[in-house]
Amino acid sequence: MKAVVVQKEKNKTYVMTEKGEFKCLNNLQNVDIGETIELNENFLALRHTAKILIAASLLLALIFTIINFKSPEVYAYVYIDINPSIEVLIDKNAKIISANPLNEDGKKILKNLSYKGLDITTFINQTVKESQKLGFLKEEDTIVITTVNIKNSHVINEDIQKAINDIKKTNAKIQIETLK
């Protein structure tokens, strides 16, 4: 197919084909305005097909990302109240999804802990140690641990009980109340 060069810019050349269609070609060198050139129709079709394939690939990548980007499902809420107070969301394996301070002292505790993905046993033990270190928890204070199970998972209750046993071993005078 023949075309006439009608405009040239830095890296683009605009041509008008025999059919009166305007085409934009990239990096076409050594042509002048008004010059008649031969266009390879397969090349033009290939460029169009390449654009469609790229767009389809990007769309598939986006869909795949959206489908696989599910947030972890919450199996239980665990409230640790020492004053500081903290709410913890955990998954079916008793791993922490997120932790939220319920007061200013809770913010101070969480600021010093790396908790995302941590198991609930370790988190409770670290929270107790950090509370003692910062002076929030004294020898004869009470810790209230409340568990609200959204879905059943035997791992969650076992891990919380393990944390309670660990605390009692090292801090015999601390009272722990659990509510389920």
Side-chain angles (χ1 to χ4, degrees):
M1 172 183 355
K2 292 186 179 188
V4 176
V5 176
V6 293
Q7 184 178 350
K8 282 190 73 165
E9 291 178 1
K10 195 174 191 177
N11 292 325
K12 294 182 182 182
T13 302
Y14 297 92
V15 297
M16 183 175 74
T17 67
E18 295 172 325
K19 297 177 185 176
E21 298 173 328
F22 288 92
K23 304 276 184 192
C24 177
L25 306 172
N26 292 325
N27 298 321
L28 193 59
Q29 305 295 325
N30 303 323
V31 294
D32 295 319
I33 294 175
E35 185 178 338
T36 301
I37 60 172
E38 188 69 34
L39 293 180
N40 184 343
E41 289 186 41
N42 291 336
F43 174 72
L44 293 175
L46 183 62
R47 285 182 48 190
H48 184 67
T49 304
K51 288 179 184 176
I52 291 172
L53 288 174
I54 291 170
S57 297
L58 291 173
L59 184 62
L60 285 173
L62 179 65
I63 290 170
F64 181 74
T65 302
I66 290 170
I67 289 172
N68 287 322
F69 187 74
K70 291 182 357 184
S71 58
E73 195 171 1
V74 176
Y75 269 66
Y77 293 88
V78 177
Y79 297 90
I80 303 168
D81 191 19
I82 302 169
N83 195 33
S85 298
I86 299 170
E87 172 193 59
V88 183
L89 285 67
I90 55 178
D91 67 13
K92 67 180 175 183
N93 299 313
K95 302 285 184 195
I96 295 176
I97 297 169
S98 68
N100 306 306
L102 300 177
N103 56 21
E104 288 301 314
D105 293 340
K107 285 181 186 177
K108 291 176 186 174
I109 295 294
L110 289 179
K111 180 177 76 172
N112 297 325
L113 297 178
S114 177
Y115 53 83
K116 193 154 185 135
L118 200 64
D119 64 89
I120 191 66
T121 303
T122 305
F123 179 79
I124 291 172
N125 286 323
Q126 287 181 353
T127 301
V128 168
K129 287 177 187 169
E130 191 66 23
S131 295
Q132 289 171 321
K133 184 173 118 183
L134 295 175
F136 297 126
L137 181 62
K138 312 258 184 307
E139 259 187 37
E140 295 185 17
D141 285 346
T142 301
I143 301 170
V144 178
I145 299 174
T146 307
T147 306
V148 179
N149 288 314
I150 304 301
K151 294 187 173 196
N152 287 334
S153 172
H154 68 283
V155 175
I156 294 169
N157 294 331
E158 289 172 5
D159 281 9
I160 291 172
Q161 189 58 50
K162 184 175 183 285
I164 291 167
N165 294 340
D166 290 349
I167 294 166
K168 286 181 178 179
K169 284 179 194 171
T170 57
N171 303 284
K173 293 185 180 179
I174 293 177
Q175 298 297 313
I176 301 173
E177 296 178 23
T178 58
L179 306 170
K180 296 180 184 178

